[in-house]
Amino acid sequence: MTQSPPTSPRVQTISTAPPSSPTPTTPDDDFDVCIVGGGPGGLATLSATIEPYSRDKTNDEKNTVKSAYDSGLATRRKPPRVCVVDPGDSWLQTWHERFKALQIKWLRSPMGAHPDAFDINSLLAYATTEGRAKDMFDSGVDKKKFRTVREAHSGILNLPSNALFEDFCKDLAARLPHTFVKGKVGTIEGTDGDFKINLEGGRKLKAKSVVLALGVPGPQACPAALSSLPDHLMFHSDDKLGGRLQELKNGRKVLVIGGGLTAVQVAQLAIKKNCSKVVLASRRPLTTRHFDVKEGWFDYRTASQHQYEFFQEPLEKRAGFCKETRGGGSVPPLYMRDVRELEAQGRLTRQIGEVQVTNVNEDSVEVMIGSKAQTFDVIVNACGHRPDCLQLPVLRELQKVEPVEIIGGFPILTPDLQWGNFKKLFVIGALASLQVGPDAGNLMGLGRAAQMVTDAMGLKAWSKYKNNMQAVQGWYQTNRFAEAFSDSSDSESDSESDSENECNCELEPELEEEGRVEIPCAV
């Protein structure tokens, strides 16, 4: 297989080693768009920014408008200058390290979920072109539910291997012109059209627009009963990008805490590493589901209805809607079959109940799970991350400059995912759950959010060519899907009136048990 290298002529990679003194901004540091985060969300945003015309999401009339626009009836669009800032050495490094640490082979999301904004079939086409049929796995979804969907029978509901997905993303990134800057953002200053992105170490970048694609919505979640355990007896599955999972060695007694896919993957890994005892403890029985959210969120025949229902909820109830839809974490049938086999072989024990620490020894910890006392060499916390956006340094500093209301740890963004009164500073990913939906942190939601952001940036000028695109104005209403389900088309409102009607109520219920949200590794 031939791939374009990450540092092809169209992709400039810049390292930001800390200088001895602050470095002034140079013309090479001045961009139209700065994307903070080199994960799937950042790549989806880059794709939507460089190629905002999405063929699979338009009808014949819109295609005609686009063709006319490109043929010279209007000024041809010049691709914006884009930089991507990430602490890693390359795209998806965090993703790669976590998947490698857990030895994850298959993604949880289907072939239609990927960062390419141009065509939903591009990952499937890439696999076919590269002759990688073995890198696609039947998800087991009941095809009868999708018998009228042509794409479902082409393999788009199959699961890609992680190797296939990573190679596809490398190929996509190499084809999209941008500058990759290795560094960590400390603060963001300035105004719309003139932002200054200050990197740790002193370097400054300038950008007209900024998109924050930060990934997790807050700090690691930890059951209160375990929070005081010493570091050598308990660690989080994400510590050192999964690097501490190497501590699961032959003969060790391991307790894994969590009720979602990541917890199951950690337990599987411990068994592969010949740990002598592996117990998986959760507060409730494991829930089996193919995807993080119900299949209806993936089916274009029903997805708009699900999103419409979500946007009908007031803001203070949307966090609870996300919790209900995601169900507090779930495990695909593929993994549940393995869990049951391991249980039958006596290699894995599942227990339901609260974990309480009864004694801490120098090299072990004694706990009670329900009414049973047990001793373990190490505990792995696989409870995901707690939504608390102000625990993320860049957002904490941004809140000082332009404060926004917080509900359940999530910021209240505008309908176009803008932060506060900024019109050119956007947030996508799990942090945008209140405005995108329960799949905001997953590949499908990331792609949808990227399209929303590029719409708001005005990069789809072709779509407003002449007077053919009145429907596009509907994107600026609070409920972007209201028109499709309304008896009248007179309910459109502009973005200013929407912001005046946003709810400022406090959230009563927690989003998850002890306020946690699981961000699964195989999303």
Side-chain angles (χ1 to χ4, degrees):
M1 178 181 65
T2 302
Q3 295 183 11
S4 300
T7 55
S8 66
R10 303 187 73 188
V11 182
Q12 182 181 4
T13 303
I14 299 176
S15 177
T16 57
S20 56
S21 60
T23 304
T25 302
T26 67
D28 289 338
D29 293 332
D30 197 345
F31 299 92
D32 295 306
V33 180
C34 176
I35 301 171
V36 181
L43 185 54
T45 304
L46 175 64
S47 176
T49 300
I50 299 300
E51 297 182 309
Y53 164 52
S54 303
R55 180 189 302 177
D56 60 292
K57 298 177 178 67
T58 57
N59 56 29
D60 291 340
E61 178 184 359
K62 294 179 183 179
N63 288 338
T64 301
V65 173
K66 178 61 168 61
S67 297
Y69 188 87
D70 278 349
S71 65
L73 294 179
T75 303
R76 199 174 186 87
R77 189 182 73 96
K78 181 181 179 180
R81 294 189 70 236
V82 183
C83 73
V84 178
V85 183
D86 189 87
D89 294 314
S90 60
W91 281 100
L92 271 69
Q93 180 167 323
T94 299
W95 171 291
H96 173 76
E97 295 296 334
R98 293 179 67 208
F99 272 63
K100 180 180 178 181
L102 282 166
Q103 299 182 13
I104 298 173
K105 182 175 182 181
W106 304 102
L107 266 65
R108 185 172 190 175
S109 293
M111 296 288 291
H114 52 73
D116 189 345
F118 189 77
D119 191 346
I120 193 173
N121 295 299
S122 60
L123 178 54
L124 182 61
Y126 177 83
T128 302
T129 301
E130 299 294 328
R132 300 180 65 170
K134 293 182 179 180
D135 281 291
M136 294 182 285
F137 183 83
D138 189 342
S139 64
V141 173
D142 185 3
K143 298 298 192 301
K144 293 181 180 179
K145 295 181 180 179
F146 299 90
R147 60 181 178 273
T148 62
V149 181
R150 182 183 61 186
E151 292 85 355
H153 304 282
S154 68
I156 207 166
L157 290 178
N158 289 341
L159 305 180
S161 71
N162 183 51
L164 174 66
F165 182 79
E166 289 190 2
D167 288 343
F168 168 79
C169 289
K170 290 177 184 177
D171 182 78
L172 175 63
R175 289 188 284 107
L176 301 173
H178 67 283
T179 298
F180 190 96
V181 178
K182 179 181 179 181
K184 188 173 183 179
V185 174
T187 59
I188 299 174
E189 302 173 342
T191 59
D192 286 321
D194 186 24
F195 288 109
K196 294 179 178 61
I197 301 93
N198 302 311
L199 307 186
E200 294 182 358
R203 183 174 179 179
K204 297 180 182 293
L205 305 174
K206 291 183 63 177
K208 297 176 182 177
S209 300
V210 176
V211 182
L212 301 177
L214 302 178
V216 297
Q220 298 171 353
C222 180
L226 307 177
S227 59
S228 60
L229 284 177
D231 188 62
H232 71 281
L233 293 179
M234 187 188 75
F235 62 85
H236 194 279
S237 57
D238 274 352
D239 282 353
K240 297 183 179 179
L241 300 181
R244 290 201 63 184
L245 293 171
Q246 296 178 6
E247 298 175 25
L248 304 181
K249 297 179 180 179
N250 182 35
R252 302 200 77 185
K253 298 177 181 179
V254 179
L255 171 62
V256 182
I257 299 177
L261 177 56
T262 301
V264 169
Q265 290 167 334
V266 172
Q268 289 176 315
L269 180 66
I271 293 171
K272 291 178 184 177
K273 290 178 172 289
N274 296 316
C275 292
S276 61
K277 178 180 180 180
V278 180
V279 174
L280 175 58
S282 58
R283 289 183 172 182
R284 55 165 178 76
L286 299 182
T287 301
T288 303
R289 191 166 59 219
H290 286 284
F291 310 118
D292 274 348
V293 294
K294 295 179 179 179
E295 288 93 337
W297 285 82
F298 294 85
D299 186 348
Y300 70 79
R301 299 168 302 175
T302 57
S304 293
Q305 178 69 48
H306 284 292
Q307 294 164 36
Y308 169 78
E309 292 172 353
F310 176 79
F311 287 120
Q312 284 294 94
E313 296 285 351
L315 281 167
E316 71 273 14
K317 291 186 178 181
R318 292 184 189 176
F321 190 104
C322 289
K323 174 184 176 182
E324 179 182 353
T325 302
R326 296 180 67 91
S330 59
V331 182
L334 167 66
Y335 286 88
M336 282 303 301
R337 287 193 294 269
D338 187 57
V339 166
R340 295 188 181 100
E341 290 177 2
L342 293 171
E343 282 188 291
Q345 297 167 7
R347 303 172 67 190
L348 173 66
T349 301
R350 274 195 287 166
Q351 292 186 242
I352 300 172
E354 297 282 350
V355 177
Q356 297 293 332
V357 177
T358 57
N359 192 32
V360 179
N361 305 312
E362 183 178 348
D363 57 357
S364 64
V365 57
E366 299 173 23
V367 303
M368 291 285 293
I369 306 176
S371 59
K372 186 176 181 180
Q374 302 179 70
T375 301
F376 296 94
D377 299 315
V378 67
I379 298 176
V380 182
N381 171 16
C383 294
H385 291 255
R386 176 169 53 88
D388 186 353
C389 64
L390 297 186
Q391 293 299 313
L392 303 177
V394 66
L395 293 187
R396 185 168 59 245
E397 295 303 315
L398 186 60
Q399 179 77 345
K400 296 177 183 178
V401 177
E402 179 62 32
V404 300
E405 188 176 358
I406 310 297
I407 288 183
F410 295 103
I412 296 182
L413 309 172
T414 72
D416 292 315
L417 309 188
Q418 296 143 328
W419 181 282
N421 291 318
F422 288 121
K423 300 300 181 184
K424 299 294 183 179
L425 198 158
F426 306 88
V427 177
I428 71 168
L431 289 165
S433 292
L434 298 180
Q435 286 72 34
V436 176
D439 62 342
N442 293 4
L443 290 168
M444 295 292 284
L446 290 171
R448 196 163 67 252
Q451 294 283 358
M452 294 164 66
V453 167
T454 51
D455 283 342
M457 283 186 190
L459 296 177
K460 293 189 176 181
W462 66 267
S463 66
K464 301 179 179 65
Y465 184 57
K466 291 190 175 181
N467 298 317
N468 294 345
M469 304 303 298
Q470 293 180 356
V472 174
Q473 297 174 4
W475 283 101
Y476 295 96
Q477 56 193 356
T478 300
N479 190 334
R480 301 171 185 276
F481 301 90
E483 185 178 0
F485 299 98
S486 174
D487 293 332
S488 171
S489 60
D490 297 329
S491 61
E492 294 182 354
S493 61
D494 58 28
S495 57
E496 293 182 358
S497 61
D498 288 335
S499 61
E500 294 174 357
N501 294 326
E502 288 181 350
C503 179
N504 294 315
C505 302
E506 294 294 332
L507 179 70
E508 295 181 0
E510 292 292 333
L511 182 65
E512 182 56 275
E513 296 176 342
E514 295 187 357
R516 73 173 186 263
V517 165
E518 182 184 1
I519 307 298
C521 285
V523 179

